[in-house]
C-alpha cells in the first residue's frame, strides 16, 4: 500500500521544538477509489514529520476489504509492510511476485527508483504500511526487494518483541537498514519494560488489545533519553524508533527527494519515461501521478 491521495500535500517540517511525550492523532485517508479502504495516517503529522528515519505510518483494519493498489513509483525510501491479519500480493518492476502473511516482512528498497503494485482478495485486512527515508549516501542505491518469513524475537518478563527492522535489546533483524533504527511488534502480557536505545526517539502504536500507555488510534511519540519503555496490559504494540534524522527532505506523493526540481523530474519520468520499469501481471493500468502544486516544494526537517 502506498500514498494514493489524488491531491497530496507537501510534507513540511521545521526546527525541533519537542521535549516530552506527544500524542500524534491520525487522519483518515481513503485509498483506492469508490470502494476505498480507509487508513489512519499518523506520520507525517501536522507538527512531527518523522521518528528517526521513519517518515510514513498508515494503519488499517481490522476491516473486510479488497486491496487493489495499481502500479506506482517510489524513490528515496524503503517500504515496510507488516500484517496483523490477511494476505497481500506484491509485484514489482524487478519481477518480484511475493505474498505476505502475518508475522512476515516485505521490505522494498526504492533507491533510485522502482514501481510496484499490491492486491488482495476480499478478506479481513489489518496491518501497517511504513516508509523509511533513505539518507543522502544511500538514496540512489539500486532498487531491491526482501521477503523475511521468519524474524528474531527478544523476550523478557511480560513481553515478546518480534524485531522487524534494525536492532532492539541486542537482537537484530536480517532486513537491510541504512540508518540506526528499530521497528518491532511487541506482544504485551502484563507489566513489562522493553529495553530501547537512549539515543533513539520512539513511537508507539496500538495494533490490538488493550495497553494502558497507548490509546487506540494515535501514535505516541517519546523523545530520546530513555533506556526502557514501560508497558502494561494485554495486546500488541508497534514500536518504531531511530536516531533523529539530520537531513532535510521533500516528501510528495510516493517520492522522497531533496528539492522541488528533483520531485518534478521524478514525476516526469514516471509519466513519460521508462526509468521506473514496468510491473508485469497486474490486471490494470498504472497509477497516474497527481499534478504538482502551484508553489515550489521546499526541503524541511523533522518537525514543523
Amino acid at each position: 500500500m502506498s500514498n494514493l491521495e489524488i491531491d497530496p500535500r507537501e510534507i513540511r517540517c521545521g526546527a525541533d521544538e519537542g521535549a516530552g511525550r506527544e500524542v500524534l492523532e491520525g487522519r483518515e485517508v481513503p485509498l483506492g477509489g469508490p470502494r476505498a479502504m480507509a487508513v489512519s495516517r499518523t506520520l507525517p503529522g501536522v507538527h512531527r514529520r518523522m521518528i528517526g528515519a521513519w517518515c510514513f505510518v498508515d494503519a488499517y483494519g481490522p476491516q473486510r476489504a479488497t486491496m487493489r493498489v495499481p502500479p506506482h513509483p517510489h524513490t528515496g525510501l524503503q517500504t515496510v509492510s507488516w500484517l496483523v491479519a490477511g494476505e497481500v500480493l506484491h509485484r514489482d518492476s524487478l519481477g518480484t511476485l511475493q505474498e505476505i502473511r502475518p508475522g512476515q516482512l516485505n521490505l522494498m528498497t526504492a533507491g533510485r527508483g522502482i514501481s510496484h503494485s499490491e492486491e488482495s482478495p476480499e478478506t479481513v485486512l489489518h496491518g501497517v504500511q511504513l516508509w523509511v527515508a533513505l539518507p543522502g549516501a544511500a538514496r540512489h542505491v539500486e532498487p531491491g526487494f526482501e521477503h523475511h518469513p521468519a524474524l528474531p524475537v527478544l523476550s523478557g518478563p511480560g513481553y515478546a518483541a518480534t524485531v522487524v527492522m534494525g536492532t532492539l535489546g541486542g537482537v537484530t533483524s536480517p532486513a537491510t537498514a541504512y540508518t540506526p533504527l528499530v521497528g518491532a511488534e511487541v506482544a504485551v502480557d502484563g507489566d513489562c519494560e522493553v529495553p530501547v536505545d537512549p539515543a533513539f526517539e520512539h513511537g508507539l502504536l496500538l495494533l490490538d488489545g488493550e495497553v494502558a500507555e497507548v490509546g487506540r488510534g494515535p501514535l505516541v511519540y517519546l523523545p530520546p533519553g530513555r533506556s526502557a519503555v514501560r508497558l502494561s496490559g494485554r495486546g500488541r504494540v508497534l514500536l518504531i524508533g531511530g536516531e533523529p534524522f539530520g537531513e532535510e527532505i521533500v516528501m510528495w506523493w510516493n517520492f522522497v527527494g531533496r528539492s522541488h526540481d528533483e520531485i518534478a523530474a521524478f514525476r516526469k519520468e514516471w509519466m513519460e519515461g521508462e526509468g521506473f520499469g514496468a510491473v508485469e501481471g497486474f490486471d490494470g493500468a498504472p497509477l497516474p501521478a497527481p499534478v504538482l502544486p502551484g508553489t515550489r516544494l521546499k526541503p524541511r526537517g523533522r518537525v514543523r
Side-chain angles (χ1 to χ4, degrees), residues 140-250:
H140 296 304
V141 298
E142 290 296 307
F145 178 84
E146 301 171 29
H147 174 72
H148 296 280
L151 294 160
V153 175
L154 172 70
S155 297
Y159 77 90
T162 301
V163 184
V164 180
M165 290 283 289
T167 299
L168 181 68
V171 174
T172 299
S173 166
T176 302
Y178 291 89
T179 55
L181 53 71
V182 64
E185 181 189 271
V186 183
V188 180
D189 186 14
D191 297 335
C192 66
E193 291 191 5
V194 182
V196 295
D197 190 326
F200 287 7
E201 53 187 358
H202 291 91
L204 299 169
L205 182 74
L206 185 67
L207 296 175
D208 64 18
E210 300 291 336
V211 177
E213 294 76 8
V214 191
R216 191 171 297 277
L219 179 67
V220 176
Y221 170 79
L222 303 173
R226 69 191 66 227
S227 58
V229 172
R230 294 178 175 84
L231 299 170
S232 59
R234 284 175 175 78
R236 284 184 284 183
V237 173
L238 175 70
L239 169 69
I240 59 173
E243 289 185 355
F245 198 76
E247 301 178 33
E248 293 186 333
I249 64 174
V250 179

Side-chain angles (χ1 to χ4, degrees), residues 268-279:
K268 180 178 176 64
E269 182 63 30
W270 172 244
M271 295 298 290
E272 302 176 14
E274 299 179 353
F276 289 98
V279 178

Side-chain angles (χ1 to χ4, degrees), residues 37-49:
M37 183 172 69
V39 304
S40 176
R41 183 163 299 159
T42 49
L43 276 185
V46 174
H47 167 65
R48 186 163 298 281
R49 303 300 184 164

